[in-house]
Amino acid sequence: MLRLSGLTLPLDHDAQALPVAICARLGIEPDRLRGHEIVRRGNDARRRNAILLVYTVDVDLADEAEVLARFAGDHEVRPRPDTDYRFVAQAPEGWPGLRPVVIGAGPCGLFAGLILAQMGFRPIILDRGKVVRERTRDTWGLWRRSQLNPDSNVQFGEGGAGTFSDGKLYCRVKDPRFLGRKVLEEFVKAGAPDDILFEAHPHIGTFRLVTMVESMRRTIEGLGGEYRWQTRVDELELERGPDGRQRLRGLHLHDGSFLEADHVVLAVGHSARPTFEMLHRRGVHIEAKPFSIGVRIEHPQSWIDEARYGKFAGHPILGAAAYSLTHHASNGRAVYSFCMCPGGRVVAATSEEGHVVTNGMSQYSRAEFNANSGLVVAIDPVRDYPGGPLAGIAFQRHWESLAYRAGGSSYAAPAQKVGDFLAGRPSTGLGAVTPSYKPGVTMTDLSQCLPGFAIEAMREALPVFGRQIARYDDPDVVMTGVETRTSSPVRITRGKDFQSLNVARLFPAGEGAGYAGGILSAAIDGIKVAEAVAKSILAE
């Protein structure tokens, strides 16, 4: 088969238009086309009143060689790549070694555990939080009753932070082995809709993610894997190896027990601050990395649909419209939209008492009234938190605690209308836009809980974005603070063998280690690290 990309058709084309377009593009008669399969479907909405669908298709032809020769050099016509996943190792029958341990049950830990289980290594998966349905009840406890469980919330527990998100399943990492395809196929096996295999910007939504991670847990357990919930790792046990390098010997757990382990995947997520502090204390190589800070901004979804899709707003193929915006401010700061959630809500995402953190979430339907996105400003260790590897954590905590106080010290979040924000005055009430954040907002002045440079850059960016998307800077649009967990504030550095630079057999992985951002890239990193663990085990 060959792969044909860049094929465009009108939004409302009929079922026969695609095979006709394939034959026209390849210059063949219809009887030479034996079949086709849609690999990817996106849209081109640059002309909002003439929106096109853009296809990539795998094509089965009677004479593929002739067509490929005729289109030699055309990057849109090429042989279909081999996207099948192949395991790099397999545990020997009756393998007697210590079982590998995965710390963290988010997307990275989930796929590290799955791949290790599929290779026969029967991993042990530890997580400080709870199974996903118990965790969901605890999370709603914060949203509905302002009651935070520091170990079971939006950040911690089965499924990780991605469970309470839009469930986006696309990323920009290079993926020459098509590991992303393996991730999507496993998700479909676990109950995800088939369209995630071909939509250009697939997503799942929170409720579907809940049932999927449960299904994948059962798969891992059926292959001999083991989960241990409400289990926190408090200390590493290290020893000197024959080469003089420190290496992992085991884990001291919160209940005083010791788990012997010589291959550990560290997939703790971007909010595992006590773990980062413990690693630094134990001398594991860790460094500060850039992240971003800002707010969640909310518009009625109908405004975004109209601005992006014009007369096609609400079309069932298009769904709720998304956007991506960037502005380089005159003060040297980059302002950009982050983790845009069409038809969703803003949620309380703190994991520490006395702090307020916001994030965005959507269901699969994306049918709620508002669109929301992070509106954030990039920051870096050199300019903004130069105090050492953990300085970014202190920076986050500072602004999160100020947001808690600005919201009334009740887990309500501080919020401000865009018109007031631009004018430099506090907000005292709402207008046409109703904020979705629970347990509620306090209308105030966001300059109390954001750095001055961020306020300055956002004030410059908002009118620019308003010229790109109509009503983006409408005076009644609501901004809710603060967004601080855009990515990990640290990187737990590793080598080409995926092991810590100075602690052998410790495998930093995923978003918390600074090597991924989002569900798909974290899952891909989990696969890579699981493969490295298997190779290391069998090499000893």
Side-chain angles (χ1 to χ4, degrees), residues 432-484:
V433 181
T434 301
S436 61
Y437 177 93
K438 300 296 181 185
V441 302
T442 299
M443 302 306 291
T444 184
D445 183 351
L446 287 172
S447 66
Q448 302 174 78
C449 49
L450 286 170
F453 64 78
I455 296 289
E456 179 185 2
M458 290 162 59
R459 282 177 175 155
E460 181 181 316
L462 279 163
V464 175
F465 294 161
R467 292 192 289 273
Q468 298 175 39
I469 295 179
R471 304 185 77 179
Y472 192 89
D473 60 342
D474 186 280
D476 283 349
V477 167
V478 175
M479 302 191 302
T480 306
V482 290
E483 173 100 22
T484 55

Side-chain angles (χ1 to χ4, degrees), residues 287-351:
E287 61 189 26
K289 64 171 279 295
F291 58 100
S292 299
I293 186 170
V295 298
R296 280 271 145 185
I297 186 166
E298 288 190 87
H299 305 80
Q301 182 63 51
S302 59
W303 292 7
I304 304 301
D305 291 345
E306 172 64 26
R308 294 280 287 113
Y309 294 149
K311 69 180 183 181
F312 294 109
H315 194 287
I317 290 180
L318 297 175
Y323 61 79
S324 178
L325 299 167
T326 303
H327 174 68
H328 294 280
S330 56
N331 67 356
R333 302 288 180 165
V335 186
Y336 63 99
S337 58
F338 170 78
C339 189
M340 196 269 161
C341 296
R345 64 176 63 182
V346 180
V347 299
T350 188
S351 54

